[in-house]
Amino acid sequence: MSVHWTDTAQAHLDAIHAYIAQDSPEYALRTIDRLTRRSQQIADFPLSGRRVPEYDIDQVREVIETPYRIIYHIKPDQIDVLAVIHEARYILTDGEESN
């Protein structure tokens, strides 16, 4: 199954990269590579991630790539990566993020 990174998830990756690159451009690239490589696991084994506790919907799952949560939605024809957030962040049930 194909994995699609939403605009929001891509913006999260860009922000993560920009933040880490302030100290280490090389480590920023390695971090983004590590995060995006998880697409293969998601594509091959969509149900391998756990349900997102804030939503508890079977089709909305996450995999952890410490210290980040990669949150995705399983659809019949593809998987959409919805967000990449730090593990310390909590997602409100109305879809907005909070620190």
Side-chain angles (χ1 to χ4, degrees):
M1 187 172 302
S2 68
V3 176
H4 170 257
W5 288 76
T6 63
D7 290 343
T8 300
Q10 185 61 54
H12 290 166
L13 289 177
D14 292 345
I16 291 166
H17 180 273
Y19 180 76
I20 296 171
Q22 293 174 31
D23 293 325
S24 174
E26 182 180 330
Y27 184 68
L29 288 174
R30 286 189 295 181
T31 299
I32 299 306
D33 184 52
R34 229 180 55 228
L35 290 166
T36 57
R37 277 187 283 140
R38 292 304 291 268
S39 295
Q40 190 60 50
Q41 174 192 345
I42 295 169
D44 293 342
F45 305 102
L47 297 176
S48 65
R50 71 175 186 164
R51 287 183 186 189
V52 175
E54 294 90 342
Y55 292 101
D56 197 28
I57 299 171
D58 198 43
Q59 294 82 14
V60 178
R61 295 186 169 255
E62 68 181 352
V63 292
I64 305 298
E65 184 64 44
T66 304
Y68 298 101
R69 301 167 64 188
I70 302 169
I71 300 171
Y72 60 96
H73 180 222
I74 303 169
K75 295 181 172 181
D77 59 334
Q78 73 180 22
I79 297 167
D80 288 343
V81 176
L82 304 175
V84 182
I85 61 171
H86 196 278
E87 290 175 329
R89 294 190 76 177
Y90 174 79
I91 304 171
L92 301 175
T93 55
D94 67 359
E96 293 187 20
E97 296 176 27
S98 176
N99 285 337

